[in-house]
Structure formats: structure tokens, C-alpha cells
Amino acid sequence: MEHLSFDSEPWKTVEEGLSTRAIFDEWRVNHCLKTMEDWEAWMDFYKVRRYLKGTGVKYLGDANGSEGIFKVQMLRAITQGGWGLPPAPKRAPRGYYPKLVATLEDGGIAGISKQDLANSKSRKLLESQLPITQRMLPVLSWFARQYPTVDLTQVFHSDEVEEAVAMLEQYNLNNPPKTTVS
């Protein structure tokens, strides 16, 4: 079995180190940091807690985590015309939400209902606050391909934008879009 090993660098401030330790202590109650999967779970938890503190957004657990938060915010951006996306209609025309649900399902994003989309229209969209994590890359990749006008500086926290772009480019190189032949 492969185990993690680390090099370390000092925190920029004592407060940052203490805050990270408090978040880690909360995470490790039900987790252990030994494998790369553990590391991804820890980074997912840490980044959500660090960057979304005070926004009212809750970490939804390991099964959903940052990916679930990103999906919710993505739906809000689509239905509200945020993050550099084309403006959404004030009132959705007949068939608009069912077509959008089908588009999401075709992209591998299952479990979204017409009601989820209708609810997203009036909920708060976070601007320039999200962290980037490995877990959100499949959905982010689909989203960026489906909506090429998306402005990642409006999606991700300013400390995370450069890393988000690099991670997305690497993910897209390793996971080209599936093409269908008619």
C-alpha cells in the first residue's frame, strides 16, 4: 500500500496555521490521512471550509462536498446568467427547463430536476469565492466546454484562479470530450 509523505513550509501567519489545524481536527474525527484518496478528501474539506466560511454554504459531506457545491452554484449561474454566461430569460419559456435538464444529463450530470433549476433562479450566486478541488473537475470541464464564455475569475476565489485554470487544462488533456458518431 502506498502512503503519503510530506515536505513542509511555514504558514504565512500564526492565525492561518491555527485555523488550518482547527479545520483538520474537525475533519480527522471521522477520517485518516494515509492515501491519496484521503488527501483529496482532506483538501476538499479544507478548501470548502476555508474559502466559503461566512457565506452560509455548508460542506455536504465526502460523497458530495465541493462537487455538490459547485453544481448548485453552476445551476444558479446558468439560470441567472452569471459568471459571464449569456443572460437567462426573465421567465423561462415552455420547455426551457426540460431541455436544460436533458443537456445536463447528456453531459453526465444526473439528478437535476426542473424544480432544482426553477429554485436556482432566485438563490444567491457566489461570485469569485469558490475554491478549486480535484472533485469538481469533471463537472467544471463539462461546464467550461458547454459555456465557453464562462469567466473563471467570477467563479473562483482570486487565490485559486491560476490553479483552477492549470488543473482544468490538465484535466482536459487527460480526459478529452467524448464524441458521438451519427
Side-chain angles (χ1 to χ4, degrees):
M1 174 183 263
E2 209 172 304
H3 288 280
L4 296 176
S5 64
F6 298 94
D7 290 329
S8 64
E9 295 177 16
W11 295 105
K12 293 178 184 147
T13 65
V14 170
E15 292 80 23
E16 185 180 0
L18 292 174
S19 172
T20 301
R21 181 57 194 229
I23 294 170
F24 183 74
D25 287 342
E26 181 182 345
W27 178 81
R28 73 183 182 133
V29 168
N30 295 313
H31 299 86
C32 183
L33 189 56
K34 288 184 178 180
T35 66
M36 282 307 293
E37 286 101 20
D38 298 334
W39 175 254
E40 285 182 15
W42 156 240
M43 289 308 298
D44 196 75
F45 184 81
Y46 168 68
K47 284 188 161 194
V48 167
R49 292 295 307 273
R50 177 176 176 208
Y51 287 102
L52 299 181
K53 183 178 182 177
T55 64
V57 174
K58 303 285 186 233
Y59 188 81
L60 304 172
D62 285 341
N64 228 355
S66 64
E67 179 186 3
I69 291 167
F70 182 76
K71 281 181 188 176
V72 166
Q73 293 298 315
M74 176 186 73
L75 295 180
R76 292 175 184 179
I78 292 169
T79 59
Q80 297 173 25
W83 293 352
L85 273 54
K90 294 281 184 215
R91 285 186 57 116
R94 183 177 290 279
Y96 178 75
Y97 290 144
K99 285 180 187 172
L100 196 46
V101 167
T103 300
L104 291 161
E105 287 175 352
D106 289 346
I109 302 166
I112 306 298
S113 69
K114 294 184 296 185
Q115 192 60 51
D116 292 333
L117 294 168
N119 291 341
S120 295
K121 182 86 173 154
S122 60
R123 299 294 201 290
K124 181 181 179 189
L125 173 63
L126 297 177
E127 300 261 345
S128 304
Q129 289 184 292
L130 296 180
I132 181 66
T133 68
Q134 286 290 329
R135 291 182 176 183
M136 63 175 60
L137 285 173
V139 178
L140 174 61
S141 176
W142 173 86
F143 180 60
R145 287 178 171 137
Q146 189 71 25
Y147 296 92
T149 62
V150 66
D151 180 354
L152 295 181
T153 65
Q154 292 181 30
V155 178
F156 296 105
H157 188 279
S158 60
D159 293 347
E160 296 282 284
V161 172
E162 193 173 309
E163 183 179 0
V165 169
M167 287 174 70
L168 181 59
E169 287 174 354
Q170 186 62 48
Y171 180 85
N172 286 339
L173 281 173
N174 296 336
N175 302 280
K178 294 173 178 64
T179 55
T180 56
V181 178
S182 305

